Amino acid sequence: MHLETQQQNTRSEIRAILKVSENTLWRDINETLSYALAIAEMPTIKALMTKDGKAGLGSPAPEQLTGFLSTLIKHYPRYTKLMLIDNQGVEVLRIPGDTPSDPRLARRDHANTDYFKSASELFARDLYISPPGRNLQYEIFSGEVIPVVNVATPVFDDQGERQGMVLLSLNWQHLTEAVHQAAQMEPTAGVILTDAQGRWLLTERNQQLPPMSFGDDYAQLTDESWQHITGLDKGVLTQENRLLRFQRMDMRRQTHQGLAGHIFSQDDTLPWVLGVSLPNPTWKSLLQDDASVVWFLLLIYSTAVALGIYWAFSSHQQRLLRHQAQQRAIEVSNLYESAPCGYHSLNADGVIIKMNQTELDWLGLTRDAVGYRCYRDFISSDSLLDFDQAFQEVKAGRQGEAECKLVATDGEQRQVVIQSVGYLEQDRFIYSNASVFDITDRKHLEEKLRAQAMTDPLTGVFNRRYLQAQASVEISRASRHQTPISLIAIDIDHFKQINDDYGHDAGDEVLKRFADEIKGLLRQEDLLCRVGGEEFAVLLPNTTLEEAWQVAERIRATVEKAHVSIEHDDTPATITITASFGVTHVASNEKTLKAAIKRADNGLYEAKDTGRNRIVIRKL
């Protein structure tokens, strides 16, 4: 009975370690895929890849974009580099910029790599993951040679045209480090990770297993055991004096976060095999560990003979109850630690007295922080008031809820909702129990939708709705500070004829080029909006009527010199454009732009009627 109990405990412990290892690996992979998709969806990435109608090294990346991507790579050690690659396989951008290129890539041309060929055939939100150890399998990172895995996803513009791809190179050593840490739950545990062919995928050696290095043939080393593993999706087998539990991990069938589409890789390397082994208890090991246990068991058996059948049934029932309790304890612990939301408990001073692994990972903490760190230290300054008010409600015995911003030890911020209740004894607060829900993705989606609602999708400038909303703000500011504010109405000349002669695609190119030319001539505080088909408006804060005329003249002269190159009936063609302008001043007593827009439009119509390509000023 004692031996069987030890063996049951060993099986339960293996299952727990295997589950934690699997959850940790999937979590890191899911986060990586979500980041790759998020970068591919960034408007600045799409703008860079479609600049001047084509991607390539000739289109320099904005400093703000390169700064953001450099910060991402710098603060996330799971990444070694990030690249943008156009439809011909040529690099557009590499972060960090000093990352050495593989000598097999002439002029950084990726056209013949597995990730470029595969990702070039994917749809939006699909991803391709190169197998560990295949194609550019090693890089120098922080002075150390490490294996990498490439994750590629295509980039599509707003019209659904493929413009290239995003490539993230993962530090495979860092990604699999969590698997080793999970195995450290038990010093005698050994962990294996191989691809479908039996190639070893771990970078750190395990003292409990035969010495293996990354890329070694584990299948050949354990030929008989490997044949048993290849026939099952999961199972348990005995290797010499150790018990091994294994299961297959196929990312192509895994449910991923971040609204990912399909996951692709080289089929002969998937699924991976993840396994955990522990020493299998035997009579010999029990004797070696504790001889007193054997004497105690002999005494129990002697007593059992005297007590008879009653004791036998009672002992059997206790064994079943103990086994059930162990199973439920493990299940509850796994649910608590690996829940998709955070859980924590605080004492009256706000010190963390309990926290699950999910929230510890969010905050970048270890178990050592429990009992010492104050939870309030991880609340952003602009959220402290809401948190303190909710915590006071909880200490008073009422339910508290607050929407806060958590700041991890590495500076990463996460928008959350905290729902908490207090435990009181004789009206005295003892501790609080709180559930923490991550709403960061929802907040980002809300901001994205809000921005899309205020932006013209074709030209990327603001739309009429945003002009009306922002105008009231600028008019109020001008009234408070007694500063002038002006408005320019602009209309492209003969735009209908352009559409009729060359088609609407050519018309769209003219609109985009027209907007780009104007944006380059305005200040940061100036507001350019597309208010109709070929009609634009420019709101100029702190600008007199004379200065507004100068701005309009600068735009008119620049547009007149611009040429738009297109393909018409498979023949190159060049379109020249001009525009007419109406300029007016917004009066101090006007609360909206309605009257100013009418005056500017009247000036615009007069400019049209008197020959076009000119400016007409309409005063109050």
Side-chain angles (χ1 to χ4, degrees):
M1 288 172 57
H2 184 67
L3 176 61
E4 184 178 352
T5 300
Q6 292 296 319
Q7 291 174 341
Q8 290 287 352
N9 291 339
T10 298
R11 293 188 179 94
S12 299
E13 191 166 8
I14 289 177
R15 281 195 295 269
I17 297 175
L18 184 61
K19 187 63 176 178
V20 172
S21 300
E22 178 191 20
N23 291 341
T24 302
L25 189 57
W26 279 137
R27 181 197 63 203
D28 290 343
I29 291 175
N30 284 333
E31 289 180 0
T32 298
L33 301 184
S34 296
Y35 274 118
L37 290 171
I39 292 172
E41 292 289 328
M42 290 176 60
T44 49
I45 293 292
K46 295 181 180 181
L48 175 63
M49 299 297 287
T50 58
K51 189 172 183 182
D52 294 331
K54 61 180 181 179
L57 291 172
S59 302
E63 292 183 3
Q64 185 177 7
L65 173 61
T66 57
F68 167 75
L69 296 178
S70 297
T71 302
L72 175 68
I73 298 299
K74 179 179 179 181
H75 292 286
Y76 286 82
R78 70 165 65 105
Y79 306 125
T80 63
K81 68 176 183 299
L82 180 148
M83 290 190 293
L84 301 181
I85 303 173
D86 66 15
N87 287 331
Q88 287 71 46
V90 178
E91 287 182 25
V92 178
L93 179 65
R94 173 183 286 251
I95 301 294
D98 57 353
T99 304
S101 176
D102 190 272
R104 291 171 289 180
L105 298 178
R107 301 191 305 273
R108 297 189 174 183
D109 184 357
H110 301 258
N112 293 322
T113 61
D114 64 321
Y115 49 79
F116 177 80
K117 295 177 180 178
S118 299
S120 297
E121 300 176 356
L122 301 184
F123 296 100
R125 290 189 171 274
D126 287 348
L127 298 111
Y128 172 79
I129 301 180
S130 65
R134 297 282 189 91
N135 198 0
L136 302 180
Q137 56 183 339
Y138 294 100
E139 289 185 2
I140 298 177
F141 183 71
S142 299
E144 183 180 2
V145 178
I146 60 169
V148 298
V149 171
N150 295 305
V151 176
T153 185
V155 176
F156 288 82
D157 60 22
D158 293 335
Q159 284 72 43
E161 295 293 329
R162 186 188 305 271
Q163 299 298 336
M165 68 185 65
V166 172
L167 179 72
L168 274 175
S169 292
L170 309 183
N171 183 340
W172 183 250
Q173 177 174 306
H174 178 82
L175 195 65
T176 56
E177 183 178 346
V179 177
H180 290 284
Q181 293 177 351
Q184 292 174 3
M185 296 169 59
E186 170 54 55
T188 60
V191 61
I192 69 170
L193 181 64
T194 72
D195 65 13
Q197 303 299 319
R199 284 185 290 271
W200 192 257
L201 298 183
L202 294 176
T203 58
E204 296 183 13
R205 295 189 176 182
N206 193 311
Q207 296 179 354
Q208 309 303 331
L209 296 175
M212 298 288 293
S213 299
F214 180 78
D216 286 353
D217 193 344
Y218 177 79
Q220 184 178 4
L221 179 64
T222 58
D223 180 67
E224 183 175 332
S225 298
W226 182 255
Q227 291 180 5
H228 181 74
I229 291 174
T230 55
L232 298 172
D233 287 335
K234 59 182 178 180
V236 180
L237 57 88
T238 301
Q239 289 182 326
E240 297 180 354
N241 62 337
R242 298 181 69 86
L243 194 65
L244 171 66
R245 176 176 287 273
F246 65 92
Q247 66 184 48
R248 295 183 175 275
M249 301 176 59
D250 195 341
M251 69 183 70
R252 297 168 298 185
R253 296 195 295 267
Q254 178 74 4
T255 301
H256 295 272
Q257 301 174 354
L259 302 179
H262 296 89
I263 309 299
F264 298 90
S265 187
Q266 294 187 14
D267 293 338
D268 64 333
T269 66
L270 291 173
W272 298 336
V273 177
L274 175 66
V276 173
S277 70
L278 283 174
N280 193 22
T282 62
W283 281 113
K284 182 178 180 181
S285 64
L286 290 179
L287 287 170
Q288 291 174 343
D289 293 340
D290 191 357
S292 63
V293 173
V294 178
W295 290 109
F296 177 75
L297 290 175
L298 291 175
L299 177 61
I300 293 298
Y301 281 121
S302 300
T303 306
V305 172
L307 294 178
I309 302 300
Y310 174 78
W311 182 91
F313 278 108
S314 177
S315 177
H316 179 69
Q317 185 65 22
Q318 290 178 5
R319 181 163 55 89
L320 291 177
L321 292 175
R322 184 168 58 252
H323 176 70
Q324 293 174 359
Q326 290 172 346
Q327 293 296 318
R328 281 164 176 72
I330 292 173
E331 291 173 1
V332 171
S333 177
N334 288 341
L335 286 173
Y336 177 82
E337 295 295 340
S338 303
C341 61
Y343 294 111
H344 68 255
S345 298
L346 309 179
N347 64 14
D349 297 324
V351 175
I352 302 169
I353 58 177
K354 191 176 183 181
M355 180 174 285
N356 72 342
Q357 190 61 46
T358 298
E359 195 167 5
L360 286 173
D361 292 339
W362 288 355
L363 298 177
L365 299 177
T366 63
R367 290 289 173 191
D368 296 337
V370 177
Y372 296 97
R373 297 300 299 270
C374 183
Y375 192 80
R376 192 175 184 271
D377 296 340
F378 302 99
I379 305 295
S380 66
S381 58
D382 56 344
S383 305
L384 281 175
L385 180 60
D386 292 338
F387 174 79
D388 291 339
Q389 290 176 348
F391 193 53
Q392 291 302 320
E393 292 289 321
V394 173
K395 292 172 69 174
R398 296 182 291 271
Q399 182 174 351
E401 180 174 329
E403 183 174 319
C404 302
K405 188 180 295 181
L406 291 182
V407 182
T409 54
D410 60 1
E412 179 184 3
Q413 296 186 356
R414 189 183 303 269
Q415 199 75 26
V416 298
V417 171
I418 304 175
Q419 297 176 345
S420 183
V421 294
Y423 176 74
L424 286 75
E425 285 185 356
Q426 299 179 351
D427 295 331
R428 187 170 70 90
F429 177 82
I430 305 301
Y431 60 84
S432 68
N433 286 326
S435 301
V436 185
F437 301 95
D438 187 353
I439 60 172
T440 305
D441 291 341
R442 191 187 77 188
K443 286 292 184 181
H444 288 169
L445 180 60
E446 290 174 356
E447 294 174 1
K448 183 178 180 180
L449 293 176
R450 188 180 301 112
Q452 290 176 347
M454 294 295 182
T455 305
D456 173 46
L458 177 63
T459 61
V461 302
F462 295 113
N463 57 19
R464 178 186 291 272
R465 183 185 295 112
Y466 185 81
L467 174 64
Q468 293 172 344
Q470 193 65 19
S472 60
V473 176
E474 295 296 342
I475 291 174
S476 297
R477 182 183 292 117
S479 177
R480 288 195 308 271
H481 298 287
Q482 297 297 308
T483 55
I485 183 171
S486 299
L487 177 70
I488 303 175
I490 312 172
D491 188 274
I492 300 176
D493 295 333
H494 303 297
F495 185 74
K496 182 178 182 302
Q497 184 176 348
I498 294 174
N499 280 335
D500 293 341
D501 292 347
Y502 299 100
H504 289 279
D505 289 342
D508 289 346
E509 289 298 321
V510 169
L511 289 172
K512 290 189 286 186
R513 178 64 180 277
F514 185 76
D516 290 341
E517 292 290 343
I518 296 178
K519 284 189 289 187
L521 301 173
L522 299 179
R523 303 169 300 179
Q524 184 176 1
E525 63 268 25
D526 296 337
L527 184 62
L528 172 63
C529 302
R530 183 185 177 194
V531 297
E534 68 272 26
E535 299 179 18
F536 293 80
V538 183
L539 187 65
L540 302 169
N542 197 21
T543 304
T544 63
L545 190 61
E546 175 62 26
E547 291 170 338
W549 179 89
Q550 294 174 0
V551 173
E553 174 59 25
R554 188 162 59 249
I555 295 174
R556 187 201 65 78
T558 301
V559 169
E560 186 180 30
K561 297 176 183 178
H563 301 282
V564 182
S565 299
I566 63 168
E567 290 283 339
H568 180 61
D569 293 338
D570 298 328
T571 302
T574 301
I575 301 175
T576 57
I577 54 177
T578 60
S580 300
F581 300 77
V583 182
T584 189
H585 182 64
V586 181
S588 59
N589 62 343
E590 292 178 338
K591 304 301 181 184
T592 68
L593 279 183
K594 184 176 181 180
I597 289 176
K598 184 175 181 180
R599 290 194 302 273
D601 283 342
N602 289 337
L604 175 63
Y605 297 146
E606 182 178 340
K608 290 280 190 182
D609 294 339
T610 56
R612 294 185 171 86
N613 192 21
R614 61 188 60 207
I615 304 168
V616 173
I617 297 177
R618 281 298 178 96
K619 299 182 180 179
L620 297 176

